[in-house]
Amino acid sequence: MGAYQVLCLSRSASEAWKPFEEEDFIDYRDAMKGPCTYKCSIYHCLEALEWAQKLGWYNRLTFNLAEYQYYSSIENGDMNWIIPGKLLAFSSPTDAEKGAEGFSFSPEFYVPIFKKLGVVAVIRLTKKDYDREVSLSPQC
């Protein structure tokens, strides 16, 4: 309901959150092991939606749901634009033929998709599980 208010009724995150501020919601927690080192509440998400609209990163009238659903599915790379056309998050490549869910995530898998999407640089934020040279080869 809060997201609807921000995205469809053009209310601020503060306005959208007001009816819920007395409720006791649990903050987001990712699936990583160990203690959570950050706080991410529903209110934070509403603020992010508000800013995404202000910055032109999200427009409900032009958002391509089919493309989002296609690329965000694990069998198609598990990718999502963080900043459209600028910053793309994706599952880490691996040298293994099959990923944890039974899908390939080799550098060779990603390179054609990255070319299609206009990705020109990749920054690895996880441990190295692949041969970097493979993705730099002319065959990719």
Side-chain angles (χ1 to χ4, degrees):
M1 293 184 75
Y4 176 80
Q5 291 181 63
V6 171
L7 298 174
C8 300
L9 302 178
S10 299
R11 293 190 178 142
S12 69
S14 296
E15 292 170 319
W17 180 246
K18 193 153 187 65
F20 307 102
E21 64 189 0
E22 299 301 320
E23 299 298 325
D24 188 26
F25 294 104
I26 298 172
D27 292 337
Y28 170 80
R29 171 72 161 106
D30 67 23
M32 298 298 293
K33 294 180 182 175
C36 187
T37 58
Y38 61 90
K39 180 178 179 174
C40 183
S41 67
I42 295 171
Y43 180 69
H44 292 138
C45 295
L46 295 175
E47 287 182 310
L49 288 172
E50 181 181 1
W51 275 103
Q53 274 198 147
K54 284 181 183 177
L55 296 170
W57 295 351
Y58 177 80
N59 181 323
R60 68 183 178 85
L61 302 176
T62 60
F63 181 75
N64 188 333
L65 180 60
E67 181 180 74
Y68 168 79
Q69 289 175 326
Y70 179 82
Y71 286 117
S72 68
S73 70
I74 193 138
E75 63 269 18
N76 295 316
D78 193 19
M79 298 178 276
N80 288 284
W81 285 108
I82 305 302
I83 301 174
K86 298 202 180 281
L87 181 61
L88 180 75
F90 65 101
S91 294
S92 181
T94 179
D95 281 336
E97 277 190 35
K98 302 278 185 192
E101 300 293 322
F103 298 99
S104 175
F105 295 124
S106 67
E108 296 93 336
F109 173 83
Y110 283 111
V111 169
I113 299 169
F114 288 169
K115 286 181 179 178
K116 178 182 175 188
L117 295 175
V119 173
V120 296
V122 174
I123 300 169
R124 181 177 39 82
L125 300 176
T126 58
K127 67 180 181 165
K128 184 177 172 185
D129 284 337
Y130 61 94
D131 180 1
R132 177 181 180 267
E133 297 305 314
V134 171
S135 60
L136 299 175
S137 75
Q139 289 78 25
C140 283

